[in-house]
Amino acid sequence: MPKRATKRGAERTPLERDADVLICGASFAGLAVARELAGSGARVLMIDRYEVGERQTSACGIPTAWLENLGLMGSHQQTFDELVMHNPHTTVRYQLPYTFSTFDYRTLCELLREQGSDAEFDIAKVEGRTGNTVHTDRGDLTAPLIVDGLGWRRILGRGENVQPPDALLSRGLEVHPEGAGPDLEIWIDRSIVPAGYGWSFPADGEVRVGVGSFDPRFHVKEPTVRLAEDLSRDPVRFQGNWIPHKLRPATDDGIFMAGDSAGHCLPLTAEGIRTALYFGLACGRELRAVVEGRQTREQALARYHGFSESHRFPFDSMLRVQRLIPRIPPRLLAVALRGMTAQRFVDWSFVHYLKIAHPDFALDGPHGGRFAAGRTGTAARGAQPVGAAA
Ligand SMILES: Cc1cc2nc3c(=O)[nH]c(=O)nc-3n(C[C@H](O)[C@H](O)[C@H](O)COP(=O)(O)OP(=O)(O)OC[C@H]3O[C@@H](n4cnc5c(N)ncnc54)[C@H](O)[C@@H]3O)c2cc1C
């Protein structure tokens, strides 16, 4: 049994204070914001309902260069230079122009937390907001700069939030049996999920097998168990969540939204870790310019909003492809998957895909490449990240 680190009962004493920056949510997005504020001299308070790294939120697959450039290779588990795609009529292997890796969630969060250790951290459950005051189960917290890194619920947004199954959300569920395997695998198969995909991501002694449905009404527990059993994996240690698949405004009523709260997860692939890191870094840099007196809060809101919006085209395009794929007859899709193995096409498409939230973005900002590990051949052969000049 994992040790419960989160404070409970009598340990939850009142927490009432103000800060220069209040970061709500201490997962990928929130921790990236805190990192960019380190050394700024700002009083930064970060809160989460759980201890940092306590609750894994994903299969933890990411382009390796993101781990390298952020100095997070200490969390690295397994590297893949191919992607294996299955449909009922074919299996194809794509030789990737850069590698993906799986990582250990707790270790990554702890490493990122160390880089932003100037921020004070406490455990509290966010319940709502009035103006610049965030209401938590331990009291009210006030700050002129507030970040919502709380995930898909977008708790600090204005008004009532759209709830599933009506929101533009996908369902994701996976199991974490012990085991090993060499390949990063994806299944596009209507017998598993009518709109979505199944996956198997090996990670150094465990294999993360799951199913994501782009239709929030389609339940994924039974297909997840079936896929695991088909792969001779034990359907044990479930973890799942809703996954947003539409970009939403990254600022709302004076609040900065980063990661899933702004729909920063890529709609076609449900890859939301590097984008949460990327937009978290961008948000942190804007906030740093405010606390250092280089711009006003309003300027930061406008610039960050514009930066996020500058990515709308690739996000919307991927949403269109997400909706198109389930309409393609499986035999035709098999032909298309085979046709796309041409190396020039693979390089072109994956490099463009990487550019949406390019790992070199991690080398900019106040820390530069200070934490970066040496590149290990994952070279992001490509140009600047989308919106880099914003
Ligand atoms: C099954 C599954 C597998 C996935 N696999 C991958 C993958 O392999 N690669 C990839 O790139 N993406 C993957 N994703 C998507 C990815 O997990 C998310 O896009 C990513 O976690 C978003 O990061 P975030 O920091 O915005 O939000 P989250 O990681 O969701 O973090 C939100 C934080 O806010 C805290 N919080 C929430 N509510 C409250 C509250 N009321 N009070 C206080 N704290 C609160 C939570 O405890 C959490 O720490 C997967 C998603 C699922 C569901």
Side-chain angles (χ1 to χ4, degrees):
M1 279 289 283
K3 181 175 160 289
R4 166 163 279 280
T6 301
K7 289 179 188 169
R8 292 207 134 167
E11 289 178 53
R12 286 170 91 93
T13 51
L15 175 73
E16 283 187 29
R17 74 184 66 159
D18 56 5
D20 298 324
V21 184
L22 174 60
I23 303 171
C24 300
S27 183
F28 305 110
L31 290 167
V33 175
R35 171 196 202 264
E36 294 308 272
L37 288 163
S40 67
R43 292 172 307 147
V44 181
L45 175 61
M46 180 161 56
I47 54 168
D48 198 289
R49 59 186 167 171
Y50 303 119
E51 191 59 74
V52 174
E54 188 179 331
R55 288 282 173 113
Q56 182 162 339
T57 50
S58 77
C60 297
I62 191 169
T64 314
W66 266 98
L67 297 181
E68 291 169 340
N69 289 359
L70 281 175
L72 301 173
M73 284 300 278
S75 65
H76 171 268
Q77 291 182 304
Q78 201 167 333
T79 295
F80 310 90
D81 59 9
E82 284 186 337
L83 175 65
V84 183
M85 298 263 283
H86 307 272
N87 108 324
H89 305 288
T90 196
T91 289
V92 290
R93 302 182 86 90
Y94 296 109
Q95 184 68 47
L96 301 172
Y98 48 87
T99 62
F100 275 80
S101 288
T102 44
F103 62 83
D104 179 71
Y105 179 71
R106 181 185 289 271
T107 309
L108 181 134
C109 289
E110 286 171 357
L111 290 172
L112 207 48
R113 168 83 184 112
E114 276 169 30
Q115 294 179 18
S117 58
D118 291 14
E120 195 186 336
F121 174 77
D122 224 316
I123 290 168
K125 181 166 185 265
V126 174
E127 293 172 337
R129 173 183 68 90
T130 310
N132 285 348
T133 299
V134 170
H135 311 298
T136 78
D137 63 345
R138 297 180 59 196
D140 288 350
L141 302 167
T142 303
L145 300 167
I146 299 176
V147 179
D148 181 336
L150 295 166
W152 65 269
R153 282 190 187 82
R154 199 180 167 92
I155 295 171
L156 301 182
R158 198 178 346 207
E160 288 297 303
N161 268 307
V162 193
Q163 294 292 327
D166 300 319
L168 283 166
L169 295 168
S170 304
R171 271 179 201 269
L173 182 69
E174 62 185 15
V175 290
H176 291 188
E178 288 177 5
D183 292 323
L184 196 64
E185 293 178 90
I186 299 281
W187 285 261
I188 304 178
D189 183 337
R190 290 176 186 178
S191 72
I192 298 173
V193 53
Y197 65 91
W199 66 83
S200 170
F201 289 6
D204 189 24
E206 87 174 11
V207 184
R208 298 164 189 157
V209 179
V211 173
S213 171
F214 299 134
D215 176 355
R217 289 172 183 80
F218 184 83
H219 290 259
V220 288
K221 181 155 186 197
E222 186 278 329
T224 300
V225 171
R226 188 155 38 91
L227 179 60
E229 287 174 347
D230 286 352
L231 300 175
S232 305
R233 307 285 185 196
D234 289 335
V236 292
R237 292 184 283 280
F238 285 83
Q239 76 94 16
N241 205 350
W242 295 98
I243 311 171
H245 60 238
K246 188 167 171 54
L247 195 64
R248 303 180 71 182
T251 57
D252 188 354
D253 199 26
I255 305 299
F256 294 80
M257 310 276 170
D260 278 4
S261 66
H264 283 147
C265 191
L266 297 167
L268 179 59
T269 54
E271 209 202 331
I273 297 171
R274 73 177 154 116
T275 48
L277 294 168
Y278 172 77
F279 286 101
L281 295 177
C283 179
R285 289 171 194 170
E286 295 299 342
L287 298 179
R288 189 180 181 107
V290 178
V291 298
E292 290 180 348
R294 291 183 278 119
Q295 67 177 346
T296 65
R297 171 181 180 267
E298 281 59 41
Q299 285 169 328
L301 284 163
R303 278 174 54 91
Y304 178 62
H305 180 85
F307 177 79
S308 180
E309 284 301 309
S310 72
H311 297 72
R312 186 163 285 284
F313 178 74
F315 273 78
D316 287 354
S317 304
M318 291 182 86
L319 183 56
R320 279 194 287 277
V321 179
Q322 182 214 94
R323 286 170 178 166
L324 175 69
I325 287 178
R327 295 193 205 132
I328 302 176
R331 283 188 190 282
L332 191 59
L333 185 64
V335 172
L337 290 174
R338 282 195 292 270
M340 290 189 297
T341 52
Q343 195 57 45
R344 281 179 67 176
F345 180 79
V346 174
D347 288 350
W348 175 85
S349 53
F350 275 89
V351 165
H352 275 78
Y353 177 64
L354 188 69
K355 274 197 251 173
I356 301 168
H358 198 284
D360 283 356
F361 191 71
L363 301 174
D364 303 334
H367 308 299
R370 183 156 67 97
F371 297 103
R375 294 283 183 91
T376 54
T378 56
R381 297 180 221 156
Q384 287 301 304
V386 174

